Amino acid sequence: MLEIRNLHASVGGKEILRGIDLTVNAGEVHAVMGPNGSGKSTLAHVLAGRETYVVTAGEVVYEGKDLLAMSPEDRAREGIFLAFQYPVEIPGVSTTYFLKAGVNAIRKHRGLEELDAIEFLAMVKEKMKLVEMDQALINRPLNEGFSGGEKKRNEIFQMGVLDPKLAILDETDSGLDIDALKIVANGVNAFRSPARAMLVITHYQRLLNYIIPDFVHVIFDGRIVKSGGKALALELEEKGYDWLKPEADLAQHTIA
Amino acid sequence: MSNQSKTIEALANQEYKYGFVTDIETDSAPRGLNEDIIRLISSKKNEPPFMLEWRLKAYRHWVKMEKSEGEPKWANVKYPPIDYQNIIYYSAPKQKADGPKSLDEVDPKLLETFEKLGISLSEQKRLSGIAVDAVFDSVSVATTFKEKLSELGIIFCAFSEAVENHPELVQKYLGSVVPYTDNFFATLNSAVFTDGSFCYIPKGVRCPMELSTYFRINQADTGQFERTLIIADEGSYVSYLEGCTAPMRDTNQLHAAVVELIALDNAQIKYSTIQNWYPGDKEGKGGIYNFVTKRGKCLGKNSKISWTQVETGSAITWKYPSCILQGENSIGEFYSVALTNNYQQADTGTKMIHLGKNTRSTIISKGISAGHGQNTYRGLVKMQKGATGARNYSQCDSLLLGDKCGAHTFPYLEVNNSTSQVEHEASTSKIGEDQLFYCKQRGISAEDAVNMIVNGFCKTVLRELPMEFAVEAQKLLGVSLEGSVG
Ligand SMILES: Nc1ncnc2c1ncn2[C@@H]1O[C@H](COP(=O)(O)OP(=O)(O)O)[C@@H](O)[C@H]1O
Ligand SMILES: [Mg+2]
């Protein structure tokens, strides 16, 4: 589904991603871990097409297409979803209104009939169960005055409604208490399917107790320095990230 | 949003769509302004002597004003000098001597013009909830639902008709809110105004439909000087809406209107405007100078006047719909969206003059600037000695699209009663790259995203509009922002 080769990207003139290689197949859940500032969010934004991040080398193939040549809205319409680490507020626009615009733009792109208000609301009702969303919340202006947990839950709710093929969750667990974490994890698990893939970015392994990944990758200084199965996450919990540092330095040396 | 977003998209891809000209024979006065022109206008309208005298007093005052300080200079707008002797002050489509008696007698070309503007004057085709007075250049060409309204004692007609049929009401209230000496443009209007709407709601009557006036400038080099007078008698209610368009021309045209509202005890007037005069082209050539004086007087206790405006058109807008809160417990409201794109300039706001006890006012102003647009909010809140316990709340927000436009806020405050309370909030924001990216990540195009964010920004104002006009206003904002994305 997704193939990232030797991806380099910079932001504000500073190189952040320094050669990422990663293959994700349909049905797989990949966890991406790493210390703060290692480039996890940068990777997520580059995949979603944020213009402030500049790709300087490498390529990304998504379902046989050159992902980097696509506009952000087309990537979304082709099934890429990003759950933001810091969801954005849009005053005066309700989540429902916002999502209806998104759903219908995506449907139009795929040659489907747009949903009318009644069909849309029926669909939304169904998806609200996914993360126990509250009707009052989604009628309020998007993310305005939401608690941290409500914002994250809203992201997963949006994922359910937009029905992506590749979901990238950027630290969806941060700022959640344990109950909220379980709700979000349940929503994500219910969403897993052989047709979908997920990239779960997290700083802590805590989330991975609830969302069991097929693969775990560790990013350090803009490179994947170690990949493994779910056991790697536990090892990281135990030892922290520092023991990987020499390997990172080593990797740098071998290339240089 | 399906249908709505489709419409916005379709509209966003077209230019000002009301820019056509109707080819119709007119009866026009020669260019220029002097006492003879004023006598001509007055006689064309068969006015009683009191009207002519009032016009002449206004004219003589205006001549003095022009010789001394001239046009108001304090507004944050720039334009070349206006040659008042090069304007045609009276232009009317030719029609039978005493005007059409019914729609069948109205020139089909005029009906067609309004049809093209989406204003059907045929009552069968009209949405039953709205009565329309259609003003074309200097005259009212038709008013719908007049009979139905008159069964309730409501008078809704062309201003000139009111002068003829209800001179006592006109004489009593004309100039009682905006005196002919008020300001340069209001004084000019008082001298030369040609038509407009008149509306009287009798005691205890709740007007069952929206009343509206649709203004159309057609003729080149004319000025449009209409005058609207609305009187809501004790315990009555009326919701009134005005809309306007003009052909695309590369010269500027002057529109200097006056609106006076009077609310007696327990009466309510809700006045909504969707202002879509031709704004000029992308380079700032042409467009209407919209220099308008609008003021309401809450004369009676517990009365309420509410102004809602969506200003998207005109090359320059200079207007401050205001409330004089004289009656105890009276309420004044001002809800405004002003959008300037390309080279448009707007200097708009309100004055809330609190005279009576426990009077309250609310000001919500949303300014949107795009392109090279300049947008100024100018507002005065005045608490007079007698305004014990009076309160005001003001909120002025500006939204900038791009970095060549400007937003300015000038809130003035005069407090002469220590028991009154005034609260003011202001903000300026830009549409953030993060907001746009968030929308795009959900599949929404940049253009739809901007429309959505702008509509969200204006929501507290748009929701004050009558339902179907709110939809109209949203579409208009989309069209007016065309080309501002990217
Ligand atoms: N707009 C920016 N300008 C300059 N540096 C940035 C910008 N955004 C992120 N960075 C830097 O890029 C690095 C990686 O950030 P990020 O991808 O957000 O890390 P992570 O998500 O792994 O915590 C950090 O050092 C961060 O400070
Ligand atoms: Mg991050």
Side-chain angles (χ1 to χ4, degrees):
Chain A
M1 178 178 277
L2 181 75
E3 210 173 320
I4 304 172
R5 293 189 209 112
N6 188 34
L7 184 64
H8 288 247
S10 56
V11 56
K14 183 174 147 201
E15 184 167 59
I16 308 294
L17 298 185
R18 303 189 298 144
I20 298 272
D21 290 278
L22 183 64
T23 302
V24 178
N25 296 307
E28 295 176 352
V29 172
H30 290 244
V32 176
M33 303 185 70
N36 281 330
S38 56
K40 303 184 297 294
S41 292
T42 303
L43 175 62
H45 281 121
V46 167
L47 293 177
R50 190 159 192 168
E51 288 94 342
T52 43
Y53 293 80
V54 184
V55 174
T56 51
E59 55 181 353
V60 181
V61 179
Y62 170 71
E63 296 208 301
K65 281 174 264 193
D66 176 4
L67 185 73
L68 301 178
M70 288 157 70
S71 68
E73 52 270 40
D74 277 343
R75 295 182 201 200
R77 294 165 188 168
E78 290 284 330
I80 291 183
F81 177 87
L82 171 61
F84 284 64
Q85 182 176 0
Y86 303 109
V88 178
E89 297 179 3
I90 305 190
V93 178
S94 69
T95 301
T96 325
Y97 189 88
F98 174 72
L99 272 181
K100 187 155 177 264
V103 164
N104 281 332
I106 290 170
R107 290 181 68 92
K108 201 170 152 196
H109 179 79
R110 296 179 185 170
L112 299 169
E113 280 276 309
E114 293 186 18
L115 297 183
D116 63 29
I118 296 166
E119 295 165 321
F120 177 75
L121 290 176
M123 191 261 275
V124 160
K125 270 235 143 56
E126 199 48 47
K127 306 289 183 180
M128 278 163 63
K129 295 178 195 154
L130 197 67
V131 279
E132 298 173 27
M133 258 331 246
D134 189 49
Q135 183 71 48
L137 200 63
I138 66 172
N139 290 338
R140 273 169 47 185
L142 186 58
N143 292 323
E144 211 181 22
F146 284 26
S147 72
E150 286 170 337
K151 284 184 184 171
K152 294 303 176 77
R153 228 192 288 179
N154 190 7
E155 293 293 293
I156 300 306
F157 165 66
Q158 292 184 38
M159 175 181 81
V161 171
L162 294 173
D163 195 20
K165 293 181 202 157
L166 173 66
I168 306 163
L169 313 186
D170 191 1
E171 298 215 21
T172 301
D173 54 329
S174 61
L176 294 184
D177 61 31
I178 193 71
D179 293 330
L181 183 75
K182 280 183 191 164
I183 292 170
V184 164
N186 283 340
V188 173
N189 286 330
F191 198 67
R192 283 173 89 149
S193 91
R196 294 194 186 105
M198 276 187 228
L199 216 55
V200 179
I201 295 172
T202 179
H203 180 65
Y204 303 104
Q205 88 83 37
R206 186 178 71 149
L207 177 69
L208 305 180
N209 290 332
Y210 301 98
I211 303 172
I212 312 292
D214 300 303
F215 301 95
V216 175
H217 311 277
V218 182
I219 292 200
F220 217 110
D221 274 345
R223 279 199 197 96
I224 292 179
V225 293
K226 199 160 182 70
S227 295
K230 64 179 188 235
L232 177 58
L234 294 168
E235 200 178 347
L236 285 168
E237 161 130 293
E238 205 177 300
K239 301 194 202 163
Y241 287 109
D242 278 352
W243 62 285
L244 286 167
K245 205 164 181 170
E247 283 188 53
D249 288 341
L250 202 65
Q252 206 169 339
H253 284 297
T254 15
I255 286 167
Chain B
M1 127 155 213
S2 60
N3 280 331
Q4 205 166 296
S5 98
K6 255 193 275 176
T7 341
I8 290 180
E9 224 170 88
L11 286 168
N13 291 324
Q14 61 184 35
E15 302 256 311
Y16 187 76
K17 72 167 175 178
Y18 310 102
F20 62 90
V21 180
T22 306
D23 182 17
I24 197 159
E25 235 188 299
T26 58
D27 174 12
S28 299
R31 272 168 211 275
L33 187 53
N34 51 56
E35 292 202 4
D36 288 343
I37 292 282
I38 287 163
R39 285 177 208 281
L40 175 79
I41 293 171
S42 192
S43 77
K44 287 265 181 209
K45 302 204 159 282
N46 298 317
E47 287 179 348
F50 85 87
M51 276 304 312
L52 177 62
E53 276 159 36
W54 198 72
R55 285 176 182 280
L56 287 172
K57 272 195 286 186
Y59 174 70
R60 286 164 196 153
H61 189 74
W62 184 80
V63 170
K64 269 189 253 159
M65 284 174 127
E66 211 206 2
K67 283 200 185 111
S68 54
E69 78 270 33
E71 294 160 27
K73 304 285 188 307
W74 43 263
N76 188 22
V77 296
K78 289 190 194 76
Y79 57 95
I82 298 172
D83 180 358
Y84 292 94
Q85 294 305 335
N86 197 29
I87 292 175
I88 297 167
Y89 289 86
Y90 181 84
S91 169
K94 275 215 171 114
Q95 55 190 12
K96 296 197 188 91
D98 50 354
K101 289 278 178 296
S102 75
L103 276 179
D104 310 335
E105 292 175 29
V106 176
D107 188 328
K109 262 192 190 164
L110 287 173
L111 294 181
E112 210 177 283
T113 300
F114 283 97
E115 202 81 42
K116 241 166 123 178
L117 297 168
I119 311 293
S120 175
L121 296 176
S122 141
E123 288 187 12
Q124 292 78 28
K125 283 199 222 154
R126 288 287 316 163
L127 298 155
S128 53
I130 306 156
V132 183
D133 183 23
V135 177
F136 190 89
D137 287 335
S138 300
V139 292
S140 165
V141 295
T143 310
T144 63
F145 292 110
K146 258 201 289 206
E147 279 92 76
K148 189 165 179 232
L149 291 167
S150 72
E151 282 167 21
L152 294 165
I154 295 170
I155 304 167
F156 178 48
C157 63
F159 201 98
S160 38
E161 215 177 303
V163 172
E164 225 172 307
N165 300 333
H166 310 281
E168 68 301 334
L169 281 173
V170 173
Q171 195 162 11
K172 181 167 176 194
Y173 290 109
L174 177 72
S176 71
V177 186
V178 180
Y180 71 82
T181 50
D182 195 79
N183 71 74
F184 188 83
F185 298 114
T187 302
L188 177 62
N189 173 289
S190 304
V192 303
F193 78 91
T194 40
D195 221 330
S197 298
F198 176 86
C199 170
Y200 171 80
I201 316 291
K203 272 184 197 167
V205 172
R206 191 180 168 90
C207 184
M209 51 176 85
E210 302 280 340
L211 301 186
S212 76
T213 303
Y214 195 90
F215 295 102
R216 174 71 178 172
I217 295 181
N218 186 62
Q219 186 73 353
D221 301 330
T222 55
Q224 186 155 354
F225 305 93
E226 81 272 359
R227 192 143 189 135
T228 297
L229 178 56
I230 299 177
I231 302 143
D233 212 327
E234 292 171 20
S236 68
Y237 168 87
V238 62
S239 169
Y240 179 92
L241 185 118
E242 59 169 8
C244 44
T245 56
M248 288 157 78
R249 297 185 196 283
D250 54 13
T251 50
N252 298 105
Q253 264 174 295
L254 177 63
H255 171 253
V258 172
V259 175
E260 295 179 279
L261 312 182
I262 294 120
L264 301 180
D265 285 358
N266 304 303
Q268 273 189 44
I269 303 174
K270 183 175 172 60
Y271 192 106
S272 313
T273 303
I274 293 186
Q275 189 264 104
N276 188 25
W277 293 117
Y278 177 54
D281 69 9
K282 288 195 165 51
E283 275 71 52
K285 209 166 165 44
I288 302 292
Y289 291 162
N290 188 36
F291 300 156
V292 169
T293 305
K294 291 185 169 175
R295 199 173 301 153
K297 196 184 250 181
C298 283
L299 201 56
K301 58 177 194 287
N302 307 317
S303 56
K304 178 174 172 182
I305 290 178
S306 180
W307 299 99
T308 305
Q309 59 173 21
V310 175
E311 304 281 316
T312 58
S314 298
I316 304 177
T317 294
W318 177 97
K319 98 180 243 211
Y320 315 88
S322 302
C323 296
I324 298 169
L325 302 169
Q326 188 169 327
E328 277 182 33
N329 304 316
S330 61
I331 298 174
E333 293 175 336
F334 174 72
Y335 297 99
S336 169
V337 168
L339 184 153
T340 51
N341 195 4
N342 299 319
Y343 286 86
Q344 282 177 278
Q345 308 172 61
D347 191 304
T348 184
T350 185
K351 287 188 273 186
M352 292 291 173
I353 314 292
H354 292 254
L355 303 176
K357 273 186 201 147
N358 298 320
T359 47
R360 275 166 293 157
S361 63
T362 303
I363 299 171
I364 309 281
S365 160
K366 305 280 179 175
I368 302 146
S369 322
H372 293 80
Q374 292 296 327
N375 210 320
T376 301
Y377 168 81
R378 190 182 302 277
L380 169 68
V381 176
K382 196 168 183 173
M383 299 294 186
Q384 292 296 62
K385 275 215 170 60
T388 302
R391 291 200 304 273
N392 161 267
Y393 172 75
S394 305
Q395 186 189 337
C396 304
D397 299 319
S398 307
L399 185 67
L400 299 169
L401 281 78
D403 45 20
K404 294 184 194 71
C405 52
H408 319 272
T409 305
F410 300 106
Y412 303 99
L413 189 60
E414 266 179 58
V415 178
N416 301 313
N417 184 311
S418 59
T419 66
S420 62
Q421 286 175 38
V422 179
E423 206 181 323
H424 179 87
E425 287 176 27
S427 77
T428 300
S429 52
K430 283 193 168 196
I431 290 192
E433 181 270 333
D434 56 343
Q435 289 177 318
L436 282 178
F437 179 66
Y438 194 60
C439 294
K440 289 194 234 173
Q441 210 304 302
R442 301 308 188 235
I444 301 164
S445 70
E447 200 147 88
D448 285 348
V450 169
N451 282 337
M452 189 187 293
I453 294 166
V454 166
N455 276 306
F457 174 75
C458 302
K459 193 166 187 189
T460 45
V461 172
L462 297 181
R463 73 172 177 219
E464 295 297 325
L465 288 171
M467 187 56 188
E468 67 173 287
F469 299 111
V471 174
E472 188 69 17
Q474 285 198 2
K475 286 186 208 162
L476 242 185
L477 290 172
V479 179
S480 308
L481 282 170
E482 190 214 344
S484 64
V485 188

